[in-house]
Amino acid sequence: NRYGLGLTMRYVNKAMIGTRHNEFSVGADLFAQPARTEYYDNIDGEKGDQIKQLESENITNKGLYISNNFEILKEKMFVLLTARYDNVYYTQTEETLPARTDNKPYSAITPKLALNYKLTPNVAIYTSYGLSFDAPAANEMGSADPEYLFNPDLKPQKSGNFEVGIKGNNFRWDKDFFRRLTYEATFFNIRLKEEIVPYEVLGEVYYRNAAKTNRLGLELGAQLEIVRNLNFGVTYTWSHFKYLDYEAETIELDTAGNFITTYRDFSGNIVPSVPVNNLFLSLTYAHPIGKHVNLFAKASYQGISGMYVDDANSDKTAAYNLLNGLVGLDLRFGKFNVIASGGVNNIFDEVYVGFTNTNSANKRFYEAGAPTDYFFTVNVGYTF
């Protein structure tokens, strides 16, 4: 059982400094995610009566931030400076053995500087550089040493993030075709230190800090209204993620089926489980039926290139292509709103690798993606 509680506060001050606009904001947020997990025997697919283990855990994130956005050139150029402090705290207790308890804090201050320049009222270029701090996820905290609940050596990922791009929009409401176009292109480069990577010990997956990585990429996106209510969208990401420095202990199976420990150098290899090409296309149509009902339909395509399955780049998955479809109704009556939709995923029932067990010691890297599946959803809303 897991639930989340959150609180956020923000103060914004908009003022003029001379003839230039300035927006200053300061804020804080608090998030807690308590959880309680019960473990039972699996008896021929049925849950046993005797509880084996009971664990309670909590993840809290306390954050403070300030930002200031200043207009350097009138209605042309803006500079944004931000700084954020995060304190992430993990706790875990085995309630069946209260002496087994552990906690782990992570904290950092991360600044960022960004510039935005409007070439025209509808086209802007932008760039930014900032430092980043990523605490491990809860499922990455486990320790291979039974003396600890949390890995005592696991550190947060730290990185320097640079990006530069262009975005714009074009509106021609008086035209019947190609009435609206929005687009964005971003080049990014991220230098990671202490990257958290998975490894396997006797079938159990754990995580460690083991690499310095350079993440280079390009993101493209566009949305075009072909005719009224018919929209075409495209999103493409090109990724080149490479280990700059990575020497690590590995556990592998030898030809006799024995586990052996060796040290290997993966510097220069491609980061596994990251596809080079990721393409998503969608075609959406909405048609009003009277004042209160809208009919909508959507077809989408996703194409993913092959990706390596381990740090040694010893094997690679095949590329795959998926086609999905959806139709639905959007009904609005007064303060009530009901959205009902149904569809099918993986229409052609393609068999593909949907998930990789990265660095599996016994080479069982592959998990199949979902076959053709049908779904139906209903959302009911009321506005007070």
Side-chain angles (χ1 to χ4, degrees):
N1 301 300
R2 184 184 299 273
Y3 60 94
L5 299 171
L7 175 68
T8 181
M9 297 175 290
R10 184 186 182 199
Y11 169 75
V12 179
N13 178 269
K14 296 181 179 180
M16 299 293 293
I17 298 180
T19 60
R20 300 292 187 263
H21 291 277
N22 189 78
E23 180 177 302
F24 171 80
S25 64
V26 59
D29 47 67
L30 172 65
F31 182 75
Q33 192 178 65
R36 186 174 183 270
T37 307
E38 301 172 354
Y39 294 86
Y40 296 87
D41 281 320
N42 183 339
I43 304 174
D44 294 329
E46 299 293 333
K47 185 181 77 172
D49 296 327
Q50 186 67 36
I51 188 170
K52 295 179 62 179
Q53 183 60 272
L54 178 62
E55 291 182 356
S56 62
E57 64 180 50
N58 191 17
I59 306 169
T60 60
N61 188 350
K62 293 172 282 188
L64 298 170
Y65 68 89
I66 59 173
S67 72
N68 195 83
N69 191 21
F70 178 67
E71 182 184 38
I72 298 177
L73 300 177
K74 191 69 174 177
E75 299 180 352
K76 279 282 189 180
M77 187 174 183
F78 300 82
V79 59
L80 173 67
L81 179 63
T82 68
R84 180 177 175 86
Y85 169 77
D86 281 288
N87 184 292
V88 184
Y89 192 77
Y90 296 88
T91 61
Q92 187 177 87
T93 301
E94 292 184 356
E95 295 187 8
T96 48
L97 187 62
R100 292 271 294 167
T101 185
D102 208 347
N103 61 77
K104 191 97 185 215
Y106 297 99
S107 61
I109 297 175
T110 51
K112 181 179 180 179
L113 175 67
L115 295 171
N116 187 82
Y117 181 78
K118 291 187 175 181
L119 299 173
T120 72
N122 296 321
V123 180
I125 56 174
Y126 57 88
T127 186
S128 69
Y129 181 80
L131 302 181
S132 179
F133 151 81
D134 297 307
N139 67 321
E140 298 172 344
M141 294 290 293
S143 173
D145 186 343
E147 183 179 349
Y148 302 97
L149 296 178
F150 292 146
N151 184 346
D153 300 319
L154 195 61
K155 303 173 185 178
Q157 292 184 158
K158 297 180 180 179
S159 63
N161 311 317
F162 169 76
E163 69 173 15
V164 60
I166 184 171
K167 58 184 176 181
N169 57 71
N170 184 22
F171 300 98
R172 305 190 308 169
W173 301 120
D174 57 328
K175 303 297 182 180
D176 293 327
F177 297 96
F178 308 124
R179 305 171 69 242
R180 177 174 58 92
L181 172 66
T182 60
Y183 58 89
E184 184 168 1
T186 305
F187 168 82
F188 64 87
N189 187 215
I190 302 171
R191 287 291 184 103
L192 268 172
K193 296 181 179 179
E194 306 289 357
E195 180 166 4
I196 297 173
V197 296
Y199 70 103
E200 192 176 278
V201 178
L202 301 178
E204 295 291 331
V205 178
Y206 299 97
Y207 294 83
R208 62 188 173 192
N209 303 99
K212 292 181 180 179
T213 306
N214 186 56
R215 298 184 176 185
L216 192 68
L218 178 67
E219 296 179 342
L220 304 174
Q223 192 77 24
L224 173 65
E225 185 176 14
I226 301 173
V227 296
R228 187 181 298 274
N229 298 326
L230 179 63
N231 290 278
F232 173 73
V234 56
T235 303
Y236 171 74
T237 302
W238 173 78
S239 302
H240 181 67
F241 293 4
K242 184 178 181 180
Y243 290 130
L244 298 176
D245 183 13
Y246 184 7
E247 294 183 5
E249 179 184 276
T250 64
I251 300 175
E252 301 173 344
L253 280 173
D254 63 15
T255 55
N258 300 313
F259 286 95
I260 57 173
T261 300
T262 59
Y263 284 87
R264 301 186 63 182
D265 186 355
F266 301 119
S267 303
N269 287 3
I270 301 300
V271 176
S273 301
V274 179
V276 174
N277 300 295
N278 188 330
L279 175 64
F280 181 81
L281 306 175
S282 66
L283 189 64
T284 306
Y285 179 71
H287 182 73
I289 303 174
K291 294 182 179 180
H292 306 291
V293 180
N294 281 325
L295 175 68
F296 61 88
K298 181 178 180 179
S300 63
Y301 161 85
Q302 185 174 28
I304 303 292
S305 64
M307 47 190 168
Y308 288 108
V309 296
D310 61 359
D311 295 326
N313 293 171
S314 65
D315 205 351
K316 193 175 185 179
T317 68
Y320 64 87
N321 303 277
L322 301 179
L323 186 65
N324 310 311
L326 175 146
V327 294
L329 288 171
D330 184 357
L331 300 93
R332 297 178 182 273
F333 298 96
K335 296 183 177 181
F336 283 96
N337 174 223
V338 179
I339 299 176
S341 62
V344 56
N345 291 322
N346 193 1
I347 292 174
F348 295 112
D349 200 23
E350 179 166 356
V351 177
Y352 65 100
V353 177
F355 179 79
T356 61
N357 297 308
T358 306
N359 294 326
S360 173
N362 58 8
K363 311 298 182 183
R364 300 184 67 174
F365 299 116
Y366 309 102
E367 290 192 16
T372 299
D373 66 271
Y374 304 88
F375 62 91
F376 179 74
T377 61
V378 176
N379 294 300
V380 180
Y382 181 79
T383 303
F384 293 93

